[in-house]
Amino acid sequence: MPPLPSFAPIPATTRRDRVAAALRRSILSGQITPGTQLVESGLARQFGVSRGLLREAVRELIETGLVVNRPYAGAFVTEINERVLRDVYEVRRVLERQAYISVWPRRNAGFRAELQTRFDQMIAAVSTGELADEIRAEAHFHGLVYESCGNHLMPAMWQQMTQKIQLGFAICQIAYAPKMDFQANHGQFLTVALGDDLPAMLVELDKHLSRGLATIDFMSQPSKRDGETSVSKIDEAID
C-alpha cells in the first residue's frame, strides 16, 4: 500500500469562521443594529472574500438566530425588543432551573473549580470596562450549568438565548444603566451554586434573572435613561 501524502497543518479557524466572528462581534456590540440588512456584495468586498464564502458565514449566524433570512429580501440582523427579551428570560428561567436541578448531584471538584474559574474571568472582564467582554464573560459563567447538566440539547439552547440577551443589552445601551456591585451580585450566586441548599439556589436564580430583566425593562424606557435610575429602583422591581 503506498504511503499517504504529506498534508500541511489546517488552521484552527477558516476565513469563513473569521468573517462570521467579525460580523457577530459587530452585531453584539451594537455597531450593526437590529433590522440592518447584510448586503452580500458590499460585505464580501469589505472583507475581501467571495460572495459564496460571505454567504456561508451569514448562514452560520442564521443558524444561531442572530440573523434571519427573509425570502426574496435577504439577510437581516434579528430584531430584538422588550417582548422578545421577556420571552427569552422566561424560557431561560425554566431551562436554567431544570439545569441546576439536574446538575446538583453531579457537581464534582471539576465542576466547582471550573465555575470558580469562570467567575474570576468574569470579574476580570468587568474591570476592563469593555461592555462586550463583560457580557460574553457573564454568558460563559452561566453557560457551565447548561454544558454540565447531562442534556445534550441544553448548550445549543443556551447559545441561542444568550446571543439574544447580549444583543438586547447592546440595544438598550446598558452602559448607561445604574451600576450594581457586579462582584457582590454574582458572588452570592457563586456561593449558593457551590453550596448544598438546592432550594436556596433556585430562589437565588429566580432573583438573579428577575434583576437582569428589570434592568432591561428600565433601559428600554427613554424616561429611565436620565441618569436618575437607581440600583434600588431596579431591586424594587423584582420584589
Side-chain angles (χ1 to χ4, degrees), residues 1 16 24 28-29 38 56 60 80 95 103 105-106 120 127-128 133 176 178 182 190 197 210 220 225-226:
M1 180 180 296
R16 182 203 65 191
R24 185 181 296 108
L28 295 179
S29 68
L38 301 181
E56 290 179 7
E60 182 177 324
I80 297 289
L95 293 181
V103 83
R106 306 181 185 187
D120 294 340
S127 68
T128 68
D133 291 343
Y176 297 99
F182 197 91
L190 175 69
D197 190 340
S210 295
S220 67
R225 295 197 296 268
D226 56 5

Side-chain angles (χ1 to χ4, degrees), residues 83-99 146 154 157-158 160-161 165 205 209 213:
R83 179 178 178 181
V84 171
L85 285 170
R86 183 171 292 279
D87 288 347
V88 169
Y89 265 85
E90 289 308 314
V91 171
R92 180 182 171 188
R93 193 184 304 274
V94 173
L95 293 181
E96 203 155 323
R97 177 185 179 87
Q98 184 55 48
Y146 291 85
M154 284 288 204
M157 292 178 177
W158 172 242
Q160 290 198 12
M161 285 192 298
I165 292 169
L205 173 64
L209 297 181
L213 186 55

Side-chain angles (χ1 to χ4, degrees), residues 104-120:
W104 205 250
R106 306 181 185 187
R107 296 171 306 143
N108 56 21
F111 175 89
R112 294 169 186 275
E114 179 64 16
L115 192 62
Q116 180 67 59
T117 296
R118 295 191 185 195
F119 173 81
D120 294 340

Side-chain angles (χ1 to χ4, degrees), residues 6-12:
S6 298
F7 294 100
I10 300 297

Side-chain angles (χ1 to χ4, degrees), residues 16 27 53 82 87 93 100 105 110 124 129-130 134 167 188-189 202 209 214 223 237:
R16 182 203 65 191
I27 292 170
L53 187 147
E82 182 183 344
D87 288 347
R93 193 184 304 274
Y100 268 103
E130 292 293 333
E134 176 183 321
L167 184 54
Q188 173 62 21
F189 189 97
L202 300 180
L209 297 181
S223 62

